[in-house]
Amino acid sequence: MLKQEIDTPALLIDIDLMEKNLETMASFFRGEKGTYFRPHYKTPKSPFLAAKQIESGAIGISCQKLGEAETLITAGITDVLITNEIVGDYKIKKLISLRKHAPGLMVCVDNIIPAKALSEEALKRGVKMPVLVDVNVGQNRCGVEPGKPAVDFAKEVSKLKGLELKGFQCYHGTLQVWDQRHGLEAKQQEMERSNGLIVETRESMEAAGLNTAIVSGAGTGTYKGQYHVMSEVQAGSYILMDWKYHITAPEFERALTVLTTVISTPARDRFVVDAGDKTASTDSGMPILKDVEGYEYGTAGDEHGILTPKEPSRELKIGEKLELYPSHCDTTINLYDRYYGIRDGEVEVVWPIAARGKSQ
């Protein structure tokens, strides 16, 4: 099937560009001994792409939700870090059930109450649950405070017989595109501050005799400036990218696009396409048109988008198929059931997005 024969809206991956991104990240870590990469699954949401990341050198996969982890483990990928807190009887029981099938499964903790519940359930099932202490190094979301509070909490966790302390997580998500909000100099300053907290926490934990074999964090926007204080990096968006993240990390190509059709041309200043709010997320900005210059995209409801000519390079035609670069790959991917992998203008493969909608 030719790319232009795909029904729209549809989510496309340029396979050549994706493979280039895989090699760019893998080659960086091949040259940096002592630090590994554990790509984040919250971006691609497909075990097929996760397997490609492992083939390129990743030591395992990280993910955000229990449902995401389940799709990985079902596909035979068992070295998985859940970079989030798991709370509540149902989720804890499900997590420990998955642990019995996945020897590499790990989870983060930042509160002693769910940590104790995890330990008790693990003991009931005859397993040990590997955990990382979640440490707040600037994200101000989950996580205990760095330094002494992290050490004190880690000591309590290490006493729980059903848990195995493996180290700590130190992800600073807002730092990834800090340069776009505050400038490069401010980003460098914040990164140095965050790195200092990571080093302080690691040294304090080691002085207390606590395990710090795993120090996990960083992302596509900070891996170059943080890998040296980590044992593993959680970069995720690099494999596919969006136009917004590409500004911060231009070494990675924009391999992901939304294929859309011009379905109405009611006026010379209004070209309507079939990609609206349900097909392209706008939480990080509007999509931008690929290959055709001089048009501005705006949403026009759930099912429609409008391309407004500013200084157009050419006029669009009814029935024409176009590609849009999304502004946020993670949230756009979550709207689709499958990827169409494109090479040389043809569909080479269709990959299911198994973790689409796995928000639990």
Side-chain angles (χ1 to χ4, degrees):
M1 179 190 294
L2 296 174
K3 177 173 69 175
Q4 293 299 315
E5 296 175 328
I6 300 171
D7 195 16
T8 62
L11 196 61
L12 311 184
I13 293 176
D14 184 313
I15 297 175
D16 287 333
L17 294 183
M18 181 190 73
E19 289 176 347
K20 182 180 178 183
N21 291 344
L22 287 167
E23 176 55 27
T24 297
M25 184 64 83
S27 63
F28 178 85
F29 283 99
R30 279 198 294 269
E32 300 298 341
K33 305 302 182 186
T35 306
Y36 305 93
F37 68 109
R38 181 185 292 276
H40 214 297
Y41 189 62
K42 67 180 181 179
T43 296
K45 300 178 175 67
S46 168
F48 293 96
L49 300 193
K52 288 184 175 294
Q53 291 173 309
I54 291 172
E55 289 168 10
S56 76
I59 60 167
I61 300 295
S62 54
C63 67
Q64 194 73 329
K65 293 300 183 83
L66 195 56
E68 293 175 341
E70 189 172 21
T71 66
L72 288 165
I73 294 165
T74 299
I77 297 172
T78 59
D79 195 335
V80 178
L81 167 63
I82 300 176
T83 60
N84 205 349
E85 284 64 27
I86 300 298
V87 176
D89 289 346
Y90 176 79
K91 281 185 168 64
I92 287 173
K93 287 178 180 179
K94 188 171 184 179
L95 173 65
I96 301 303
S97 292
L98 288 174
R99 168 74 178 112
K100 292 178 74 69
H101 302 287
L105 182 63
M106 299 178 285
V107 69
C108 292
V109 291
D110 72 351
N111 186 285
I112 199 63
I113 296 174
K116 286 180 177 178
L118 272 173
S119 177
E120 290 169 5
E121 186 64 26
L123 289 172
K124 286 180 187 176
R125 302 290 189 92
V127 298
K128 273 213 167 191
M129 186 71 225
V131 298
L132 302 184
V133 169
D134 199 356
V135 179
N136 175 30
V137 293
Q139 174 79 359
N140 294 329
R141 192 169 59 190
C142 298
V144 296
E145 291 306 298
K148 186 177 184 302
V151 172
D152 291 344
F153 178 65
K155 286 179 178 177
E156 293 301 309
V157 170
S158 67
K159 295 174 185 176
L160 299 174
K161 297 186 183 301
L163 304 185
E164 180 185 3
L165 179 65
K166 304 286 281 188
F168 66 99
Q169 173 177 262
C170 45
Y171 179 68
H172 189 339
T174 52
L175 185 56
Q176 305 307 311
V177 292
W178 198 278
D179 51 304
Q180 296 186 40
R181 299 183 182 121
H182 308 290
L184 280 171
E185 184 177 350
K187 179 177 183 176
Q188 185 61 36
Q189 291 173 350
E190 176 63 12
M191 197 177 322
E192 289 173 2
R193 187 191 73 83
S194 182
N195 288 352
L197 296 173
I198 295 166
V199 171
E200 175 194 354
T201 301
R202 187 188 71 238
E203 291 178 349
S204 298
M205 287 180 66
E206 288 172 350
L210 297 164
N211 187 4
T212 61
I214 296 176
V215 179
S216 187
T220 300
T222 61
Y223 73 99
K224 288 181 177 179
Q226 290 199 295
Y227 76 90
H228 61 286
V229 296
M230 309 279 181
S231 67
E232 58 180 48
V233 166
Q234 297 176 7
S237 296
Y238 79 94
I239 186 174
L240 299 176
M241 294 298 281
D242 48 57
W243 72 258
K244 184 83 170 177
Y245 222 154
H246 181 69
I247 296 171
T248 291
E251 66 269 31
F252 299 111
E253 304 286 348
R254 295 168 293 177
L256 186 77
T257 56
V258 173
L259 186 67
T260 185
T261 301
V262 178
I263 60 171
S264 179
T265 57
R268 293 186 64 84
D269 65 348
R270 191 165 76 251
F271 296 85
V272 184
V273 295
D274 62 355
D277 290 330
K278 290 181 178 178
T279 49
S281 68
T282 57
D283 55 296
S284 294
M286 294 295 165
I288 60 175
L289 195 57
K290 177 184 177 181
D291 294 334
V292 184
E293 297 180 354
Y295 287 87
E296 185 176 282
Y297 175 91
T299 59
D302 291 347
E303 318 294 351
H304 301 84
I306 292 177
L307 292 168
T308 303
K310 298 300 181 181
E311 296 181 1
S313 57
R314 64 174 179 83
E315 188 167 313
L316 304 179
K317 299 177 182 179
I318 190 82
E320 182 177 359
K321 291 184 178 178
L322 305 165
E323 291 177 68
L324 297 166
Y325 289 121
S327 63
H328 190 181
C329 50
D330 297 16
T331 50
T332 294
I333 291 166
N334 200 45
L335 300 171
Y336 289 85
D337 291 323
R338 64 190 64 85
Y339 298 110
Y340 291 89
I342 308 297
R343 200 190 303 268
D344 298 326
E346 296 187 359
V347 178
E348 183 174 293
V349 64
V350 177
W351 288 304
I353 303 174
R356 183 251 172 116
K358 299 293 186 182
S359 58
Q360 295 178 328

